[in-house]
């Protein structure tokens, strides 16, 4: 039987594998890897190209594309344990084995750094929030569509963003993400003016130029429909930029101009279409924030996954659950959170709000039922609704 390199060459010729997989397998063999480790190395690269940050050894035993698993799990773990190219979280090497997850070192580093910064943001003490303006008598949010015993999720999202350094506002089209953000910005600006404090430096950004342009269009449209004092309206930002421009990442390099040592000048950073942000870019974004800054991520947890590796927003939302908060957060929100559930999901739950009501179509309409079925993964029901 041909060796690993020759079999990878056949896979590349048959368009079952990428040339870079062959090159990586060849490099690892030349640097002392066993055939099993070389195949695992290439499989890690393939996993990254498919949008994953690591290779799940329990779910996807490594194989040369088009062939069955290269070896048994026991043989693979023995080869990884004895390879000089494989380390663990306390012993960095080109490959990092963390339980059943095998990483390229670069992506293990991104994931670890992102987790560290997220943990620091979650540990920041929550700020006191005056909930009066968020309630029906406050006049800031429209409560006409909220029935007795229901929660106004847009107002809750503003409360969460005011209370924490990290907030995620998830919702599909028409659920009011821009509506919420405009009122949040108004509160931040009015609060600073009332305290005679410097106005917050607010940056708006998105992963792409098209998304940034849509963000500005939505902000301007919302401003035109909102009753707001002129001196406050003039402080609402009217420019959004790509994340690459915000971070100072040029065309010729992936290294940002802004990082922990040279942070972005901002007090509040709001990022739209955050579901499109991959693991490396999200890590660079969070590392470039000043220690005091708020980060508000907007997006749909069910749509527009990142093209590159790591679906950060959906992973954060999945870990947080859906609209259940700690007892301390419920107590701080008073009547605003009266009808919400108590969470057992851990620290992230207090930072994520999923907007529930679309103001473009009714939940019992055909499109509303179709969206609900798709989001719940009920493919048969979705097909049946689509055919109706």
């Amino acid at each position: 039987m041909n060796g690993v390199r020759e079999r990878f060459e056949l896979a590349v010729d048959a368009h079952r594998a990428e040339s870079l997989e062959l090159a990586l397998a060849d490099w690892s063999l030349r640097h002392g890897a066993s055939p099993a480790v070389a195949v695992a190395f290439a499989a890690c690269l393939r996993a990254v190209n498919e949008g994953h940050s690591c290779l799940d050894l329990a779910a996807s035993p490594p194989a040369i594309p088009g062939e069955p698993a290269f070896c048994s799990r026991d043989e693979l773990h023995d080869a990884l344990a004895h390879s000089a190219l494989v380390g663990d979280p306390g012993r960095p090497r080109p490959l990092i084995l963390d339980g059943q997850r095998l990483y390229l070192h670069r992506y293990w580093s991104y994931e670890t750094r992102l987790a560290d910064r997220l943990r620091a943001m979650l540990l920041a003490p929550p700020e006191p929030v005056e909930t009066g303006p968020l309630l029906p008598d406050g006049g800031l949010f429209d409560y006409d569509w909220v029935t007795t015993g229901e929660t106004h999720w847009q107002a809750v999202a503003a409360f969460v963003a005011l209370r924490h350094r990290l907030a995620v506002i998830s919702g599909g089209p028409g659920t009011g993400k821009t509506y919420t953000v405009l009122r949040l910005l108004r509160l931040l600006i009015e609060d600073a003016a009332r305290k005679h404090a410097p106005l917050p430096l607010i940056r708006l950004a998105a992963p792409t130029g098209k998304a940034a342009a849509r963000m500005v269009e939505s902000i301007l449209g919302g401003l035109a429909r909102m009753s707001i004092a002129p001196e406050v309206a003039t402080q609402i930002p009217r420019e959004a930029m790509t994340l690459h421009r915000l971070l100072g990442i040029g065309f010729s390099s992936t290294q940002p101009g802004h990082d922990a040592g040279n942070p972005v000048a901002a007090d509040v950073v709001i990022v739209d279409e955050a579901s499109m942000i991959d693991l490396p870019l999200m890590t660079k974004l969070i590392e470039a924030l000043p220690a005091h800054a708020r980060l508000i991520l907007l997006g749909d947890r069910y749509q527009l996954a990142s093209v590159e590796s790591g679906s950060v927003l959906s992973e954060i939302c999945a870990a947080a659950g859906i609209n259940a908060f700690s007892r301390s957060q419920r107590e701080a929100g008073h009547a605003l959170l009266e009808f919400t559930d108590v969470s057992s999901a851990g620290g992230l739950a207090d930072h994520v709000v999923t907007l529930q009501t679309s103001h473009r179509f009714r939940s019992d309409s055909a499109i509303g039922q179709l969206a609900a079925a798709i989001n719940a993964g009920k493919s048969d029901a979705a097909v049946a609704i689509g055919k109706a």
Side-chain angles (χ1 to χ4, degrees), residues 311-344:
S311 299
V312 180
L313 186 82
S314 64
E315 294 290 341
I316 289 175
C317 291
I322 298 180
N323 294 341
F325 307 107
S326 68
R327 292 190 183 279
S328 61
Q329 180 134 305
R330 283 191 62 182
E331 292 170 0
H334 305 297
L336 194 64
L337 300 182
E338 180 180 0
F339 304 108
T340 60
D341 295 327
V342 175
S343 171
S344 59

Side-chain angles (χ1 to χ4, degrees), residues 126-354:
E127 297 185 16
V129 178
E130 171 55 52
T131 58
L134 306 175
L135 295 170
D137 291 343
L140 190 61
F141 284 89
D142 176 15
Y143 272 79
D144 289 345
W145 55 272
V146 181
T147 60
T148 302
E150 288 188 344
T151 299
H152 195 307
W153 293 113
Q154 296 166 342
V156 170
F159 167 78
V160 167
L162 290 168
R163 181 170 162 80
H164 299 290
R165 279 187 53 213
L166 171 68
V168 176
I169 303 175
S170 173
T175 53
K177 295 187 292 294
T178 302
Y179 175 95
T180 303
V181 165
L182 270 174
R183 283 147 184 81
L184 168 65
L185 294 178
R186 175 178 168 179
L187 287 171
L188 289 170
I189 293 167
E190 289 177 345
D191 184 60
R194 185 169 53 253
K195 295 176 179 177
H196 302 288
L199 293 174
L201 179 55
I202 301 165
R203 298 294 192 96
L204 306 179
T208 67
K210 185 175 182 180
R214 284 199 304 265
M215 189 180 191
V216 172
E217 182 179 350
S218 296
I219 291 284
L220 293 177
L223 271 174
R225 294 187 295 271
M226 184 169 67
S227 176
I228 184 173
E231 60 271 21
V232 176
T234 57
Q235 300 301 323
I236 301 288
R238 288 163 170 77
E239 178 187 12
M241 63 186 71
T242 65
L243 285 172
H244 284 74
R245 180 181 167 197
L246 176 71
L247 298 176
I249 300 174
F251 292 106
S252 59
S253 174
T254 60
Q255 295 303 311
H258 293 288
D259 54 22
N262 180 33
V264 171
D267 300 308
V268 181
V269 175
I270 302 174
V271 184
D272 200 7
E273 301 290 10
S275 63
M276 299 172 65
I277 306 175
D278 58 42
L279 173 61
L281 188 57
M282 186 69 82
T283 303
K284 293 169 186 175
L285 169 63
I286 289 188
E287 287 184 334
L289 294 178
H292 70 280
R294 300 176 191 270
L295 175 63
I296 302 166
L297 301 175
L298 312 175
D300 187 344
R301 63 195 294 169
Y302 301 112
Q303 294 181 349
L304 293 175
S306 59
V307 175
E308 303 297 335
S309 62
S311 299
V312 180
L313 186 82
S314 64
E315 294 290 341
I316 289 175
C317 291
I322 298 180
N323 294 341
F325 307 107
S326 68
R327 292 190 183 279
S328 61
Q329 180 134 305
R330 283 191 62 182
E331 292 170 0
H334 305 297
L336 194 64
L337 300 182
E338 180 180 0
F339 304 108
T340 60
D341 295 327
V342 175
S343 171
S344 59
L348 272 171
D350 280 351
H351 299 258
V352 179
V353 178
T354 302

Side-chain angles (χ1 to χ4, degrees), residues 29-50:
L29 289 168
R30 288 187 286 106
H31 286 78
S34 68
V37 171
V39 172
F41 221 133
C44 277
L45 176 64
R46 193 178 322 122
V48 167
N49 290 338
E50 291 173 351

